Amino acid sequence: MKAGVASPSGVVIADVPAPKPKPSDILIKIKAIALNRADLGSARGDTSHGAATGRPVGSEFSGEVVEVGGEVHDFKVGDRVMCHSPGSHAEYAVSDYGRAMKVPDSMGFEQAATLPIGLNTLHNALVTAGRMKAGEAVMVQGASSGVGLIGLQIAKLMGAKLVVGTSTNEARRARLKEFGADLAVDTRDPKWPQQVLEATGGKGVNLTVDMLSGPTVSQTMEATALLGRIVNIGRLAGMKAEFDFDLHARKRIDYIGVTFRTRTVEEVRDILIKMRSDLWDDVKAGRIRVPIDKTYPLSEARAGHEHMRANQHFGKILLIP
């Protein structure tokens, strides 16, 4: 099969063997592939984000089931599915049955490909790790990404009284209210924590999902309420920075790290089950959506990666096999 594989210079198209499903897997003919920021690292062989050199990169896609493992009972050949599983930059991929979801009848493959990672990551961050309660003030750092937009919508659907989204791009920031943000702020403005404090009556937000980290972390704590929670799911602004330990202690903030990279198959299955319990009716009804910024054929995967690297997109970038 054709696949976009990792190389020292980035993603390249190559002929590789099609994957073989294990007993707990389904084999999927891919119809649409969604890009994520981690793909840029894995495309250069960064194994902390998945693919080794010569292996297909990517982790989010939709398609049609063409083979079912002997231990799988919830899927059959011909089912339309969307998955959060490695090796998506390809014509075929396998997924553990617990990482796959049936595509609602009213949804096309392209829209379906935009949802799995955002739904599972942000529900886990907000509800499970972040312990979000209805009536709280919630902030999503890096809200104009596809995952961030889903986070805004989940926070609103789960009953947040105030939803704050951040973006450093003026045009993208202006669109955040379409997806549930009550306030949109620019983290390049040194006074942005004061804007959040003013919007929350001086208290700060109860919960932040942070995809930035880096040098914004102490500012995020400034904007956080007493006994607030910050869930670290991304490091787009940097892996290391100064950390105001006294501010962290005075506000008694829970600073929580999460990643799928160290989770077991059983843990990932449980995350999906919990997400579906809270959100699947909203997914089927189209109340959670992600705009598609641009599509490329799989043969132009590198161009798609460069478009993402330029950081000018709003929503998801897709590849089509």
Side-chain angles (χ1 to χ4, degrees), residues 21-38:
K22 299 191 295 291
S24 60
D25 288 343
I26 55 177
L27 176 66
I28 300 118
K29 181 176 176 58
I30 296 178
K31 300 292 187 179
I33 303 151
L35 299 191
N36 290 277
R37 187 70 57 175

Side-chain angles (χ1 to χ4, degrees), residues 83-246:
C83 306
H84 172 194
S85 190
S88 70
H89 283 36
E91 294 176 315
Y92 293 87
V94 293
S95 173
D96 178 80
Y97 73 86
R99 301 182 70 145
M101 300 167 278
K102 292 180 182 177
V103 177
D105 293 339
S106 60
M107 187 180 294
F109 283 117
E110 292 191 4
Q111 181 60 216
T114 70
L115 296 176
I117 285 181
L119 288 172
N120 290 306
T121 300
L122 268 296
H123 181 270
N124 175 260
L126 287 164
V127 179
T128 304
R131 309 187 302 277
M132 179 190 159
K133 297 181 284 292
E136 291 190 319
V138 175
M139 179 164 63
V140 178
Q141 290 273 30
S144 64
S145 67
V147 172
L149 294 172
I150 288 176
L152 297 176
Q153 294 169 82
I154 292 175
K156 186 65 74 172
L157 288 166
M158 298 297 291
K161 70 175 180 182
L162 178 78
V163 178
V164 181
T166 81
S167 174
T168 58
N169 179 284
E170 183 178 1
R172 295 198 297 261
R173 197 163 56 249
R175 294 194 60 189
L176 295 183
K177 292 187 179 182
E178 298 174 34
F179 297 88
D182 301 297
L183 172 67
V185 299
D186 183 351
T187 52
R188 296 174 303 179
D189 181 350
K191 296 182 179 179
W192 75 262
Q194 284 68 47
Q195 296 172 33
V196 175
L197 290 168
E198 289 171 8
T200 55
K203 295 180 179 179
V205 293
N206 306 102
L207 171 62
T208 293
V209 174
D210 189 3
M211 288 184 280
L212 301 181
S213 301
T216 64
V217 64
S218 291
Q219 290 178 306
T220 299
M221 290 194 292
E222 287 181 42
T224 297
L226 189 70
L227 298 176
R229 291 90 65 204
I230 300 171
V231 182
N232 169 9
I233 68 168
R235 275 69 58 193
L236 295 178
M239 297 288 187
K240 298 180 180 180
E242 291 188 8
F243 188 94
D244 189 333
F245 292 99
D246 188 59

